Every structure is written in structure tokens, then in C-alpha cells.
Amino acid sequence: MVKLCLVLLIISLVATATWANRVASPKHKTNLIHLQFYFHDRVTGNDITAVRVVSSPLKNSATFFGNITISDDPLTEGPDPNSKLVGRAQGLYASVGRDTLCLFNAYSFYMTNGIYNGSSFNVFGRNPTPNKVREVSIVGGTGAFRGARGFAILNTYYVSATIAVVGYNVTISLD
């Protein structure tokens, strides 16, 4: 009886180890998703989408070092704010550059239209806004973007005292 239990235990351990090995090293290709849309951040005017919640104690900072802003910004198909809405960028950005303007972004990009409706992915990282083109990372997601990782190339389309419009070219890798 003891020998039978030992044999069953060994068989069970071998079967579990084989299953764990297959899960740990799947044999499928990575799926890539490419998205392109425009981000609209309006800080003044009638339809404000971004609100400063922390003001820097450094009143004369040219880089706004220390400011923190919460936003719920529309994502559209084109650069025109009236173009088709495809999602929302909900999160925050902080001015982290002491000597040069640089933001730190932490956003969930929530899709509200199309095949990715209801899914979201997270944008996270350093955003040196004076650079016309820059890159931020994609770190996780939900729904169709579950397990997302990747990057977004940001291209400033238009900036004024009222609004910033930024093109996002997103590459998401799913395992």
C-alpha cells in the first residue's frame, strides 16, 4: 500500500511538473496591436479636461517643477477635437523637471469605441514635452490588452495656453 501511494505521488508530481513547464514556456507567437489616435489636454476654457491639484511651492519655476495635474482627456481618431471619440486618458501628470520642462505620466487609456471598447492599457513614464517626438512605456492592461507591454511614440501636434494635442502611435505586445 505504501509503495502504491509513493508511485501515485511520483506520477502526480511528474504530471504537475510537465503542466507547469508548458505554462512557463508557451510555444506561440507574440501578438502585436498597433493603434493611432490623438490626445487632447485642455487646461483652461469651457471644456476643461485637466485640473492642477498640487501647485509647486516654487512660485517662479519656469518648468512648473512640483505641479501635479489630474486629467480625463478625450482620445480621438484625428487631431480635430470634434473628430470621432475612441477613448479617454484618465490619470495624472507631474512636472518633474527642475531645470527643463519634463512631465511624469501615469495614465489608463480606456477605449470606448471599436473592437477594443471596454479595454484599457496603462501609459507610464518620463515625457520630455519640449521634444516634438518622444516615447513612453506601456505597462499592463485589461480586457483585450491584458498583459500588455510596449511603447507609444508621442508627437506634439498643437500646443497653446489652452490645449495640447498630441498624436499617439502605440505598439502593444501581448503574450
Side-chain angles (χ1 to χ4, degrees), residues 52 54 56 58 61-69 92-98 100-105 127 129:
R52 183 181 301 158
V54 174
S56 173
L58 305 174
S61 172
T63 65
F64 308 103
F65 180 62
N67 288 351
I68 299 175
T69 301
L92 61 92
Y93 55 89
S95 297
V96 296
R98 189 179 61 168
T100 181
L101 185 57
C102 184
L103 300 178
F104 179 82
N105 293 1
N127 180 1
T129 55

Side-chain angles (χ1 to χ4, degrees), residues 34-131:
H34 298 281
L35 303 170
Q36 187 166 355
F37 50 79
Y38 290 83
F39 169 100
H40 303 266
D41 189 60
R42 186 177 300 276
V43 295
T44 62
N46 288 335
D47 194 19
I48 293 174
T49 63
V51 177
R52 183 181 301 158
V53 294
V54 174
S55 292
S56 173
L58 305 174
K59 300 300 178 201
N60 297 324
S61 172
T63 65
F64 308 103
F65 180 62
N67 288 351
I68 299 175
T69 301
I70 301 293
S71 63
D72 182 3
D73 295 322
L75 305 173
T76 62
E77 277 187 350
D80 182 339
N82 297 316
S83 62
K84 182 179 178 184
L85 183 72
V86 296
R88 307 290 305 183
Q90 299 173 323
L92 61 92
Y93 55 89
S95 297
V96 296
R98 189 179 61 168
D99 299 322
T100 181
L101 185 57
C102 184
L103 300 178
F104 179 82
N105 293 1
Y107 280 106
S108 282
F109 280 47
Y110 177 71
M111 301 293 105
T112 59
N113 265 315
I115 62 173
Y116 301 116
N117 184 22
S119 298
S120 67
F121 61 89
N122 302 313
V123 173
F124 193 76
R126 182 177 185 274
N127 180 1
T129 55
N131 299 351

